[in-house]
Amino acid sequence: MKKIILTGDRPTGCLHIGHYIGSLQNRVKLQNDYETFIMSADIQALTDNFDNPEKVRKNVFETILDNIAVGLDPKNVTFFIQSQIPELTELFTYYLNLVSVARLERNPTVKTELSQKDFGEGVPAGFLCYPVSQAADITAFKAEVVPVGEDQKPMIEQTNEIVRKFNRIYKTDVLKECEAYLSETPRLRGTDGNAKMGKSLGNCIYIKEDKDEIIRKVNSMFTDPNHIKVNDPGQVEGNVVFAYLDVFDKNKDEVAKLKEQYQKGGLGDTILKKRLADILISELEPLQKRRKEYENNMDEVYRIIKAGTEKARERAAQTLSEVRRAIGVDYFG
Ligand code: TRP
């Protein structure tokens, strides 16, 4: 039997090239060797978008289209929607007892997010607890491998803590520990140089971004503020254009030469940016073509997600019956 992969995306916006190199490419690479479940985490998205459900609803389809665009094959991969599987919410409820509030407040990813968000009247309990919900998502499928960006590592750690505690307290082995499958490529910075490319930071290049926008965004990239005249020596470190070329330019020797020339002086930003924009456009073109084919056939996309959700629900229900038995809440057999 193949091992299981479970991963997911928050449907809060279209997926961008940071997702692509951080997690989506790994999903594609692993899809034939693992049984793969990909979840649209709409419940999780609602924890900080509860007042904007329309946005979440729309992006469920956008994010699944992005997954298909990068090459995840709907014939092999099970796509499903979190909210349509009540077993996940039930499991979450059992897990909540196994996690302290202090532990939730220490989760580094949640902490960072809290510092970036402005929760006005206070942090919603649902938001603070979303790592526990994520533990339920992963373990309901007995997933052993979770391809995610590195910001999700704390979620995997927390999941495994819950797994160990559950198995110990209820003297069982129904739950399986999992591991994060991380990209070898370092995290892609935002087009503005920010350490993170984020939908809410407005510094993304989307997988479905059209050519003119790619050119515009690359042209607005941060390079070296002291590189004013072409002949001035330029800095490679901290230069966003080079950071992207390091990731996307397959001709590493040429990149090394360009860096040398840039540092000496005599290489203009315009040439570099043109090179990067061309590379991104040609990398994304086949993905966008594939996306279009499915966008033009949304009935088919609905069918894929509906069938996937049914399959996923059966799987989660199986785990839940084992979980209920382990806890002793299986009253009616
Ligand atoms: N937290 C993930 C993100 O923001 C989305 C997610 C929800 C997820 N449930 C998951 C990822 C389970 C992996 C496994 O991208």
Side-chain angles (χ1 to χ4, degrees):
M1 241 181 32
K2 281 182 180 172
K3 285 191 183 176
I4 296 168
I5 279 182
L6 178 289
T7 187
D9 306 295
R10 282 188 201 183
T12 53
C14 288
L15 301 181
H16 52 62
I17 58 175
H19 293 119
Y20 179 51
I21 65 150
S23 164
L24 298 174
Q25 281 185 332
N26 280 337
R27 300 178 189 181
V28 174
K29 188 171 85 186
L30 299 171
Q31 65 178 331
N32 294 321
D33 298 329
Y34 291 82
E35 185 181 12
T36 302
F37 290 87
I38 297 182
M39 179 183 75
S40 183
D42 61 340
I43 294 187
Q44 187 175 120
L46 284 168
T47 64
D48 59 344
N49 290 279
F50 51 85
D51 51 357
N52 199 355
E54 272 312 311
K55 169 171 131 187
V56 173
R57 187 183 168 97
K58 167 173 158 271
N59 284 306
V60 164
F61 299 97
E62 295 288 345
T63 50
I64 292 177
L65 280 169
D66 286 326
N67 274 275
I68 296 175
V70 301
L72 285 151
D73 181 358
K75 288 198 188 67
N76 294 324
V77 171
T78 307
F79 290 104
F80 71 98
I81 305 176
Q82 185 183 27
S83 62
Q84 303 309 297
I85 315 232
E87 286 79 4
L88 296 179
T89 309
E90 180 183 344
L91 191 55
F92 166 57
T93 312
Y94 299 134
Y95 287 173
L96 280 173
N97 301 325
L98 309 181
V99 182
S100 71
V101 174
R103 174 65 180 89
L104 287 165
E105 285 168 344
R106 274 200 308 273
N107 183 304
T109 303
V110 173
K111 260 177 137 169
T112 312
E113 286 172 308
L114 284 178
S115 70
Q116 288 165 351
K117 287 181 205 293
D118 175 19
F119 273 125
E121 288 164 32
V123 179
F127 183 80
L128 191 63
C129 296
Y130 90 71
V132 186
S133 155
Q134 190 157 335
D137 303 334
I138 296 168
T139 52
F141 294 89
K142 305 197 173 175
E144 290 178 78
V145 178
V146 187
V148 278
E150 57 163 358
D151 61 318
Q152 296 295 304
K153 249 176 112 177
M155 305 301 164
I156 307 298
E157 274 167 35
Q158 213 170 349
T159 298
N160 287 335
E161 284 173 30
I162 292 172
V163 166
R164 287 191 290 268
K165 195 159 176 186
F166 185 99
N167 286 345
R168 176 166 52 79
I169 290 178
Y170 300 114
K171 301 187 179 54
T172 176
D173 58 2
V174 281
L175 299 183
K176 272 197 170 29
E177 289 194 45
C178 61
E179 55 180 311
Y181 192 99
L182 301 175
S183 163
E184 281 154 25
T185 320
R187 177 198 270 190
L188 195 66
R189 288 155 59 195
T191 51
D192 59 354
N194 191 303
K196 188 178 167 170
M197 180 174 282
K199 291 174 236 183
S200 55
L201 302 169
N203 59 7
C204 306
I205 293 176
Y206 293 98
I207 289 166
K208 72 168 207 184
E209 200 86 75
D210 71 41
K211 288 194 179 88
D212 291 344
E213 269 300 287
I214 294 177
I215 294 169
R216 194 187 66 75
K217 288 185 175 179
V218 169
N219 283 338
S220 75
M221 271 182 182
F222 179 84
T223 54
D224 170 5
N226 297 317
H227 185 241
I228 298 164
K229 292 201 217 86
V230 173
N231 286 331
D232 291 342
Q235 271 242 307
V236 166
E237 239 154 77
N239 188 317
V240 184
V241 180
F242 277 114
Y244 277 57
L245 286 173
D246 280 336
V247 174
F248 292 101
D249 196 330
K250 299 200 172 71
N251 190 344
K252 298 295 169 217
D253 291 343
E254 185 62 23
V255 176
K257 270 193 222 149
L258 290 170
K259 281 183 181 171
E260 207 179 300
Q261 203 186 345
Y262 194 81
Q263 279 165 326
K264 262 199 249 149
L267 176 60
D269 285 350
T270 334
I271 293 178
L272 278 182
K273 287 180 169 174
K274 166 94 173 62
R275 182 180 179 91
L276 176 59
D278 287 346
I279 288 171
L280 290 177
I281 289 167
S282 64
E283 171 99 26
L284 294 178
E285 208 161 33
L287 281 50
Q288 295 176 351
K289 189 164 163 263
R290 196 171 147 84
R291 199 183 198 279
K292 265 267 147 25
E293 281 165 23
Y294 281 86
E295 270 171 30
N296 291 336
N297 195 356
M298 281 311 282
D299 287 351
E300 174 66 7
V301 176
Y302 278 103
R303 266 196 299 279
I304 289 167
I305 304 173
K306 187 155 181 272
T309 302
E310 279 161 19
K311 177 174 168 192
R313 184 161 186 200
E314 271 171 36
R315 196 60 71 87
Q318 173 61 36
T319 304
L320 258 288
S321 73
E322 295 168 40
V323 161
R324 290 188 206 108
R325 202 173 322 127
I327 305 177
V329 291
D330 55 339
Y331 303 104
F332 306 118

